Every structure is written in structure tokens, then in C-alpha cells.
Amino acid sequence: MIENIGTAFLILAAQMAPYLFLGFFLAGMLKVWLPQQLVANQLGKGNIWSATKATILGIPLPLCSCSVTPIAQSFASAGASRVAVLAF
């Protein structure tokens, strides 16, 4: 029983790893390429327009939930509002 749980955990971790690395890589690229002030100006207000912009930014990205989390965290640390991060 314990061996099955450990094996299942290792298999799941191995399957998730590429997507997590992709998310961390893209978050790093966004941190380098997008000025923090631009993110704060465009996504920093907690209104419908910042949510719409974040949604439009997130729609074309082919990311799973594993890789979206680091990118959303980088937006939040750059000054995006909670509404924009959730819409992304």
C-alpha cells in the first residue's frame, strides 16, 4: 500500500515537472521582458478593464494549471490586482 502511494507520487511528479518548468520559465521571461510598471499600470486597478486585459492575455497561452500558477504569481508580485490575477 505505502509503496503504491510512493510510486504514484513519483509518477505524478514526473508528469507535472515539464509543465512546472515551462511555467517557471515563462514567468521568468515575463519578469525580464515586461516592465513592472507596465503590469502595475495595466493590471493594477481592480476594475473590469484590468480583468478583461488579463483574460485576453491569458486566453492564447497554451498552459495547464501547473504552469499558470507561477505566471499568475509573477503578475501578482509585479503589481497586478487580485481581480486581474484571478481573471488571468
Side-chain angles (χ1 to χ4, degrees):
M1 172 85 177
I2 298 295
E3 296 86 20
N4 291 339
I5 293 172
T7 304
F9 176 77
L10 290 176
I11 291 171
L12 181 63
Q15 290 175 348
M16 287 176 43
Y19 300 107
L20 283 172
F21 286 132
L22 175 65
F24 288 132
F25 175 75
L26 290 176
M29 291 296 103
L30 287 173
K31 183 77 169 175
V32 170
W33 289 339
L34 285 179
Q36 197 168 14
Q37 189 63 32
L38 177 70
V39 174
N41 287 342
Q42 297 298 318
L43 303 177
K45 301 171 194 76
N47 58 18
I48 189 73
W49 294 115
S50 63
T52 304
K53 291 174 190 176
T55 302
I56 290 170
L57 180 65
I59 285 174
L61 296 177
L63 304 173
C64 71
S65 60
C66 300
S67 54
V68 164
T69 304
I71 295 173
Q73 180 62 35
S74 70
F75 280 146
S77 67
S81 68
R82 191 175 291 174
V83 172
V85 171
L86 289 174
F88 174 75

